[in-house]
Amino acid sequence: MSVAMPRGGRLVRSLDRPALVALGLGLLGVGYRLALILLTVPGSNSDEATFGLAALHIAQGRELPVFLYGQHYMGTVESYLAAPLFVLFGPGWSLLRLPLLFLYAAFVYLTYRLTRHLYSPWLATFTVGLLALGSERVVRDQITAVGGRPEIKPAVVGLLLIALALGQRRIRRRWLAFGFLGVISGLCVWDDWLVLPYLITAFGVLLFGCWRELFGRAGAVLVGGFLLGVAPLIVDNLTAPPGQDSVSVLMQVSEGDAVVTSAADRVHGAVLLGVPLATGLCPPERCQPWQMWWGWLYLALLLVAVVLAVRGLLRRGQRTDAGAGRSPGTERIRYVTHLALLVAAALTLAAYGRSALAATQPLASARYLSILQISLPAVLWPLWLVARWAGRVSAKPLARTSGVLAATVLSLLVAFLLGATAQLIGEIPTIRTEERQFRELATTLRRAGLRQVYGEYWTCNRLVFNSRERVNCAVLGDNLRPGQNRYPPYPERVRAAARPAFVFAVGGPAEAAFQALLRRRAATATVTEIGTYRIYQPSTPIQPPG
């Protein structure tokens, strides 16, 4: 691919047709997401608000958090990226998400480069087209501050491109490349451990192509860079209380509740629900039986692609590409990189399938498979090869029929993703209304002078961020006992208040429990209803039990 450069009114260098189409599709994808960011779509929530509050504290110089408040395994890279914008313009949802748009654009561009190098220009273009579309689940993982997933995907593809270029001897200042690989790998490990399968296979590519260098200065630079990138995690874990280190916490999260789940339930949750949800074929709240076909087909394509990669590695590994003048090692490392993408996807799917969450909470936890987008072109490659037979006049009838079927499957994939994208666009008015009501809730509390309130988890930090910390909120569970308070100063201030207010979702279990508490204490309260929320101001001071 070359870049268009005007000189004397003429284009002396131009993009080829696949690159031009890919550029157009990529710009559409970026524009679509920019519009969503400006509209705060998908809607905000308290998890994302916690990243925003961390960014606000970083911008103010109050905190330098290593992990997301209340956790010991999710890095705060997204908060550090947003902090400079908060310094310049103040906190806001769009500014929190804006750096992630650039990460998405980098991911699409790097994926195009890698796919074109490993497979074909038009498959690279087709992949860009798929990545330009986006259901609610896919877009949320790309442009909202959900932790880890928006940034590790471009990082991994970039690492694979550098490892491939190093193995093919296309980089001159090699020690700089090794150092960069180390630093980015370390940052990824600190940021989100979901990246581990892809990091392992990326280092496998590096080891295959550069194993001699790794025993010298390059290896030392690589290790030094890695330790530099992962230093925040190491320091925090060395000082963490027993059971609060990253490994212990991640094991607890992975196991979920102490329930026994069958292998069949985990496979169903991981393959039939997880894969379609993570790739955007299903809406986030459900996955219909006729949408689950992609899960089984994904597994089948994964296995076929592995066979093709191994076959190519064995058959062509000792040949020289006469047309390009490539050495046998150069050709072999391309197949190794292809295999790395597939093995990483298989490891990611297997790790998720072993977790109890795959069986107990498949709809909510399918986000852990969003990293599979990295391997999308590798999985589609067998289907793409067969689909090309459909247009070949010289192909035998059976081959042409297979090609038509493969092309139909690819078309169905596009149709499903278009439908999911259209569904999200259709939900924009509803999401905007809910966001407007929540901003009104924060404004009402501030104007009423209600600075200290109790609320539910999905209300509290979102309320604090919307009010720019002018309102403090302490989390209550459904039984009004203390809930998951991520930042301790907020509940401490609320508990110290003489007469705190209460904010609950209308008709929720917490509101029902609070109304029962008022009846038991023979108390009354002034009630203000805003959208789907109610503000309670008790006539007498009330503190929840516990």
Side-chain angles (χ1 to χ4, degrees):
M1 184 185 71
S2 55
V3 181
M5 297 289 292
R7 182 181 297 176
R10 301 178 62 184
L11 294 176
V12 297
R13 303 179 68 192
S14 62
L15 298 170
D16 60 15
R17 188 176 299 175
L20 280 172
V21 176
L23 177 61
L25 293 172
L27 290 175
L28 285 175
V30 170
Y32 167 53
R33 284 157 180 81
L34 177 59
L36 294 180
I37 286 174
L38 296 176
L39 294 171
T40 319
V41 176
S44 58
N45 61 43
S46 281
D47 281 347
E48 186 178 17
T50 306
F51 279 99
L53 290 168
L56 177 61
H57 297 163
I58 294 167
Q60 295 172 340
R62 294 162 48 189
E63 304 272 4
L64 293 174
V66 173
F67 296 114
L68 184 64
Y69 295 141
Q71 293 183 178
H72 291 275
Y73 64 91
M74 183 67 72
T76 48
V77 169
E78 293 168 13
S79 298
Y80 282 95
L81 291 175
L85 296 178
F86 284 14
V87 171
L88 294 174
F89 307 106
W93 294 109
S94 295
L95 292 176
L96 178 62
R97 295 178 177 185
L98 190 58
L100 308 182
L101 179 65
F102 292 95
L103 291 173
Y104 162 78
F107 172 57
V108 172
Y109 171 72
L110 294 172
T111 298
Y112 174 83
R113 291 286 303 274
L114 183 63
T115 305
R116 183 166 178 138
H117 191 80
L118 293 179
Y119 309 110
S120 75
W122 281 113
L123 177 59
T125 301
F126 183 78
T127 303
V128 169
L130 294 182
L131 294 177
L133 301 171
S135 67
E136 197 277 347
R137 164 58 62 199
V138 169
V139 169
R140 181 174 291 280
D141 284 332
Q142 291 172 342
I143 61 168
T144 64
V146 294
R149 298 186 290 280
E151 59 266 27
I152 61 177
K153 287 186 284 190
V156 166
V157 181
L159 291 176
L160 284 170
L161 277 167
I162 294 173
L164 181 60
L166 284 169
Q168 294 178 334
R169 302 297 187 268
R170 291 187 285 112
I171 294 181
R172 290 183 178 180
R173 297 183 178 179
R174 301 177 66 79
W175 67 274
L176 285 175
F178 280 107
F180 183 78
L181 276 172
V183 171
I184 297 301
S185 300
L187 287 172
C188 286
V189 172
W190 160 42
D191 196 40
D192 193 340
W193 284 20
L194 287 176
V195 76
L196 287 180
Y198 281 90
L199 282 187
I200 291 170
T201 54
F203 273 98
V205 174
L206 187 66
L207 184 63
F208 181 87
C210 310
W211 65 271
R212 289 186 179 88
E213 291 177 89
L214 293 178
F215 288 101
R217 185 178 68 170
V221 171
L222 180 70
V223 172
F226 178 82
L227 292 176
L228 178 63
V230 81
L233 182 146
I234 294 175
V235 172
D236 188 89
N237 276 269
L238 289 175
T239 58
Q244 293 299 310
D245 60 281
S246 299
V247 175
S248 300
V249 173
L250 272 173
M251 289 179 64
Q252 297 169 13
V253 172
S254 176
E255 289 302 320
D257 297 328
V259 293
V260 177
T261 58
S262 67
D265 288 339
R266 293 196 297 272
V267 170
H268 181 271
V271 177
L272 295 185
L273 292 176
V275 172
L277 282 165
T279 49
L281 268 71
C282 299
E285 67 276 2
R286 66 188 182 281
C287 204
Q288 301 291 353
W290 50 271
Q291 295 171 318
M292 298 180 186
W293 61 274
W294 176 237
W296 287 124
L297 182 59
Y298 187 95
L299 266 189
L301 291 172
L302 186 66
L303 293 174
V304 173
V306 168
V307 172
L308 290 176
V310 172
R311 182 170 174 264
L313 185 61
L314 294 177
R315 291 186 61 186
R316 302 185 186 181
Q318 301 303 320
R319 298 180 184 177
T320 300
D321 187 344
R326 290 173 176 167
S327 66
T330 297
E331 190 69 9
R332 290 171 66 194
I333 198 171
R334 291 176 63 248
Y335 286 102
V336 170
T337 307
H338 182 190
L339 197 57
L341 288 168
L342 299 168
V343 171
L347 290 175
T348 299
L349 198 54
Y352 176 67
R354 290 185 67 252
S355 169
L357 293 174
T360 59
Q361 302 178 39
L363 296 179
S365 61
R367 63 187 185 275
Y368 298 128
L369 293 178
S370 67
I371 197 171
L372 291 178
Q373 279 189 330
I374 296 172
S375 299
L376 183 61
V379 173
L380 291 179
W381 179 234
L383 206 58
W384 188 263
L385 286 176
V386 176
R388 293 192 302 182
W389 295 342
R392 293 181 180 176
V393 179
S394 60
K396 296 181 180 180
L398 180 60
R400 293 192 66 183
T401 302
S402 301
V404 170
L405 289 175
T408 301
V409 172
L410 291 172
S411 300
L412 284 174
L413 185 60
V414 173
F416 273 86
L417 292 176
L418 280 170
T421 303
Q423 181 180 8
L424 174 59
I425 293 173
E427 293 171 354
I428 288 177
T430 303
I431 296 172
R432 291 289 298 154
T433 298
E434 203 277 335
E435 288 291 316
R436 188 164 51 251
Q437 290 174 350
F438 204 90
R439 287 196 301 271
E440 184 181 351
L441 175 66
T443 301
T444 301
L445 288 168
R446 289 202 316 270
R447 289 176 177 172
L450 300 174
R451 299 291 189 257
Q452 316 298 336
V453 303
Y454 285 99
E456 297 149 291
Y457 176 80
W458 295 110
T459 300
C460 268
N461 275 9
R462 187 181 176 199
L463 182 59
V464 176
F465 185 71
N466 270 344
S467 68
R468 299 192 178 188
E469 293 192 299
R470 295 185 182 93
V471 176
N472 294 291
C473 187
V475 177
L476 297 177
D478 292 345
N479 57 1
L480 302 186
R481 298 287 178 179
Q484 185 182 13
N485 285 288
R486 290 188 174 274
Y487 190 61
Y490 298 148
E492 290 171 2
R493 296 165 190 164
V494 175
R495 285 194 292 267
R499 184 171 293 183
F502 295 79
V503 178
F504 297 110
V506 174
E511 184 188 39
F514 181 72
Q515 291 172 345
L517 178 64
L518 289 176
R519 289 193 295 270
R520 288 196 303 270
R521 299 190 181 181
T524 60
T526 301
V527 181
T528 304
E529 186 166 327
I530 300 175
T532 58
Y533 297 91
R534 289 194 182 116
I535 302 171
Y536 288 84
Q537 296 175 256
S539 56
T540 58
I542 290 181
Q543 288 288 346

